[in-house]
Every structure is written in structure tokens, then in C-alpha cells.
Amino acid sequence: MLVLARRVNDSIVIGDNVEIIVVEIKGDQVKLGILERVDYNCQHINQFTPYDPNIDKRKYSHLKNWVQQRLTELDVDAHFEWMSTLERQITTDAIEAEEEKTLLREIRQYQHPGFFFTKFYELVQQYRHFLLIRMRYADHETVHKFLETYQEAYANSKRISEQFHQATLDIVKQYSENSAESIQWEKWLTRIFYDETLEGYTRYMAFVRLTFISFNYRKLDLLGEKFAYLDRIFGEGKFYSKRILLNYYHLRMLLHARLREFDKAIHYGYLSIRGKTHDYLFYVNNLGAVLLRGNKPQEALTMMRNAAPEMKSSQNFYNKVGFVAFYIKCLLQNQMLRNAESYAETFLSAYEKEVLQYRWHTFFTAYMGALLSQRKFQKMIR
């Protein structure tokens, strides 16, 4: 997360226009200085500035714990995990009294729409059954009132979810096979993205699909205003989780790369691989491609070598084959021609079936490039 620390009325504020993340410092310029250094290092990811070792370590420890606590409170994925745990506990009749108090408090204090509203609504539905069979009428009334209040909002979310599936089918088919059209979904997805009565998850998923449509049709002008809108949302402390931010940085990298703004693309590309999510290898592959296009072959090779252990352990052969193809291209652009050929042959020998099933054209473009660069024409024909 890019952090902006500043002083406001004897308080430290992290983020752009984030009023909910505030810690009273009561004139503690040292803590403010630490957070300003955090901000600087977040925004200058390639030139780390060390922290002052002479500052009392307890100040570092206090701020670290405080920042982690505030981010956890905002983290929508952490909230999702909490709901999933509660769901299991309710199903197995293992929910603790303190957890029930927390859940009932969340129900009473709920402000619509939550990021995972649909998930929360279904959790409350399950909790209603738990309460009624135990004849806890007062708590049941609280829960029942919540469900009635947001019944239509829930039904609308389910309807949108069904339409999302068809939209995604068309978008992915066009992106991967060029066998469908998806522009017909652009207006509908845009309405979903800007509809502040809908849950954040649905709106962000609409944004992701809009980026695919934009790239499919080379209509990059569709995205500028939407990225600016999301910047404001993140600045207000909404939609926050590491996973979402990494995905957002990756999409910004792709946009800037399409606009041939390679310095900006590389900046966001490195931000997108600072955490290792399920999509880490996919982000690495695209950053490698951007670095090559940006005339930084040595940097691309180093970055991909650092990510090699993740490639070896991955079971996603779409990303695995893509990684190998871009790695071969990195070797070629660094004039390591025999290494490129050897690496391609070794991988093809081990995973011939998978190569032919996933992105064979990408792999063989790189492999043939390794052979062509060494003028091994007979081997290419064979």
C-alpha cells in the first residue's frame, strides 16, 4: 500500500484523505518522522532509505503494531476470513459467546454496503437458524430485522452475480480465443462499477472485467477516469487488502505499458509483485514482458530468476509455460543464446503435453527465436 503520512492537528494521518486512520502523537515529531520515512520508502521502491538506528526501538515497535492493527481493521479479506470462520463455527455449533457478541454488534452497526455484503448476508441467514432453534427470540428479532431490511439488496446482488458469469465467459473467450464479442457488456459493467449501493466486491470485479474489454478493443480511454476513481476510493481507506492492491497495481502496469509509458508501467509492475498471491507468477510474467519492451533485459532476467522457485512449485501451467517463454526471451536479449536453447529443450522434454495444451505459440515463438539467433535452420525445420 502506498502510504502518505502527514500531520493534522497533532495527529498522524496515513493515506490520502483518510480520516479514520489516525493516531494521536501529542507533539511526537519522532513518530511523525518515522511515518514520513515509511511514506518515502513506499513511493521510492528502488532506492530504500534506512531508518535511524538511534531512535528508541519501542517507538518503532509501537508504530509497527499500530499500523498493522489499523490495516487489519480495514482489510476486507481479513473480514472475509472472519466471516468464513464464524460460518464454520455456527454450522458445527462451536461458536463462542464472545464471537456471538461481536457478530451481533456488527449486525446492529452494519453500514450498507459492506465490501462482502452477500457473504455477510448469508452468514446472518445461517445465524438466524442457529438462534431460532434455540428459542433465543430477542437476538432472533435483531437478526430477522436485518435480513428483511436488506432482502432486496441481497436478491439484486444474486441477480448481478448470474449476469457476471455470462459477461465473464464472453470476455475471457475473446481474450484467450478471440471467439466471442464482449463490448456489449461495457455499459452495464460501468453502471455496476459506479453504483455505490452495491457491495465493493461486485464493483471491483466489474472494474477488472472493464480492463479486459478495454484491452481487447484497444479502447484505453475507457479506463483513465475509472483508475482515478479507484485511487480516491483507496485513499479513503475503502476496498483495502494486499491482494486487491497488488491486482490494482498490475492492471495499472498493463495500462501504462499499452500507452508505452514504460517507466510508470515498471514502477507499478514492481509494486504488483511485492506480495506473493495466487497470481504472483502471472504478474511476474507480465512485468518481465514490460521490462523487455522497456529495454531493460538484464533487469528482467534478474527479476525472473528471483521468481524461478515460484514457477517450479506452481501447478498452473498457463503461467508456468508463459514464464518459461519470457525467461527464454530474457536469455536471448542478454545474448545467452545457448542457455536459451538448452532451457527451452529441457522444459519441452519434461512438459511436452502441457506446452502443447497451454500457450504453445508463446513458447515456440521464444524457442524458435533461440534457434534462429544461432542460425540452426535444420533444427527449426525438424
Side-chain angles (χ1 to χ4, degrees):
M1 181 181 185
L2 288 179
V3 180
L4 175 62
R6 65 191 188 281
R7 177 122 176 224
V8 179
N9 297 327
D10 289 330
S11 300
I12 292 175
V13 180
I14 295 182
D16 186 13
N17 298 321
V18 181
E19 297 180 356
I20 55 176
I21 310 182
V22 177
V23 60
E24 293 298 327
I25 61 170
K26 297 180 180 178
D28 193 335
Q29 294 297 321
V30 176
K31 288 182 181 178
L32 178 57
I34 294 171
L35 284 181
E36 287 174 340
R37 181 62 53 85
V38 170
D39 171 44
Y40 182 85
N41 282 329
C42 284
Q43 299 199 41
H44 299 80
I45 60 176
N46 292 322
Q47 54 178 79
F48 176 78
T49 302
Y51 294 91
D52 187 349
N54 297 316
I55 294 176
D56 188 339
K57 301 299 186 292
R58 288 173 296 183
K59 290 187 184 290
Y60 285 117
S61 179
H62 175 268
L63 280 177
K64 180 180 177 181
N65 292 336
W66 174 81
V67 169
Q68 185 59 56
Q69 178 185 346
R70 295 304 185 275
L71 291 179
T72 300
E73 290 171 359
L74 291 173
D75 192 333
V76 295
D77 284 349
H79 191 249
F80 184 89
E81 289 296 326
W82 174 77
M83 289 189 290
S84 298
T85 300
L86 236 59
E87 185 177 44
R88 175 179 55 79
Q89 291 176 344
I90 292 170
T91 302
T92 59
D93 298 332
I95 186 169
E96 300 286 343
E98 286 302 314
E99 290 286 10
E100 281 200 74
K101 288 180 182 177
T102 303
L103 176 55
L104 285 166
R105 184 168 61 249
E106 288 233 358
I107 293 170
R108 294 189 186 100
Q109 298 177 355
Y110 175 78
Q111 293 183 347
H112 190 70
F115 188 84
F116 287 114
F117 161 70
T118 302
K119 175 70 174 177
F120 187 66
Y121 189 93
E122 291 171 352
L123 171 65
V124 176
Q125 280 182 320
Q126 190 169 351
Y127 187 48
R128 179 172 61 176
H129 297 308
F130 177 90
L131 293 171
L132 186 58
I133 199 66
R134 289 164 176 80
M135 292 172 283
R136 289 172 52 185
Y137 300 124
D139 291 336
H140 176 270
E141 181 63 25
T142 298
V143 169
H144 183 70
K145 184 177 180 180
F146 171 89
L147 293 174
E148 281 195 326
T149 299
Y150 297 107
Q151 183 176 13
E152 182 53 38
Y154 174 73
N156 187 43
S157 291
K158 299 298 285 185
R159 285 193 295 269
I160 290 172
S161 178
E162 288 300 315
Q163 286 183 279
F164 250 78
H165 179 66
Q166 185 56 54
T168 305
L169 280 176
D170 290 343
I171 292 166
V172 170
K173 279 185 178 180
Q174 183 182 17
Y175 181 80
S176 61
E177 304 170 10
N178 201 27
S179 60
E181 292 293 328
S182 60
I183 193 65
Q184 68 273 18
W185 295 104
E186 187 261 327
K187 289 183 179 179
W188 181 75
L189 288 169
T190 298
R191 286 200 304 273
I192 298 299
F193 174 66
Y194 283 118
D195 189 345
E196 296 184 354
T197 67
L198 297 175
E199 65 178 5
Y201 176 75
T202 297
R203 296 173 62 200
Y204 189 76
M205 290 301 99
F207 171 73
V208 172
R209 284 148 182 77
L210 282 166
T211 61
F212 273 77
I213 291 175
S214 174
F215 295 152
N216 285 347
Y217 290 94
R218 304 179 190 277
K219 297 179 67 173
L220 304 183
D221 56 307
L222 293 176
L223 296 179
E225 182 183 323
K226 296 176 180 65
F227 271 104
Y229 179 86
L230 267 181
D231 279 341
R232 293 195 298 273
I233 292 291
F234 287 134
E236 293 168 0
K238 300 175 183 176
F239 290 20
Y240 168 72
S241 82
K242 283 186 178 180
R243 172 185 62 87
I244 292 171
L245 280 177
L246 295 174
N247 178 257
Y248 171 75
Y249 293 142
H250 175 254
L251 295 175
R252 286 209 66 161
M253 178 195 73
L254 295 179
L255 174 63
H256 290 298
R258 296 292 179 101
L259 295 170
R260 303 190 65 81
E261 298 170 347
F262 293 117
D263 287 342
K264 288 183 178 179
I266 291 168
H267 172 78
Y268 284 107
Y270 275 116
L271 286 175
S272 74
I273 64 169
R274 296 189 82 178
K276 294 185 178 179
T277 66
H278 182 76
D279 295 314
Y280 172 75
L281 202 59
F282 180 62
Y283 299 167
V284 164
N285 292 346
N286 286 331
L287 176 55
V290 171
L291 286 167
L292 291 178
R293 290 180 64 195
N295 240 351
K296 298 188 175 184
Q298 181 58 56
E299 198 172 321
L301 182 60
T302 300
M303 186 274 299
M304 299 201 77
R305 278 177 171 169
N306 290 337
E310 304 297 326
M311 183 277 289
K312 292 176 181 177
S313 63
S314 174
Q315 297 302 308
N316 185 325
F317 275 92
Y318 181 88
N319 290 336
K320 207 178 184 88
V321 174
F323 178 95
V324 171
F326 286 118
Y327 187 71
I328 294 167
K329 291 180 180 180
C330 286
L331 292 170
L332 288 175
Q333 290 202 26
N334 282 280
Q335 301 304 310
M336 302 171 70
L337 309 184
R338 291 185 180 180
N339 298 68
E341 177 188 355
S342 174
Y343 194 83
E345 289 178 349
T346 301
F347 187 81
L348 182 60
S349 175
Y351 298 108
E352 179 179 340
K353 179 182 176 182
E354 289 79 7
V355 168
L356 294 174
Q357 185 177 0
Y358 298 97
R359 305 186 77 178
W360 61 267
H361 53 293
T362 304
F363 175 84
F364 280 106
T365 297
Y367 184 21
M368 291 298 177
L371 296 176
L372 184 62
S373 64
Q374 299 175 84
R375 304 178 65 82
K376 294 188 176 181
F377 307 125
Q378 290 186 347
K379 196 169 187 178
M380 291 177 67
I381 294 172
R382 185 171 69 251

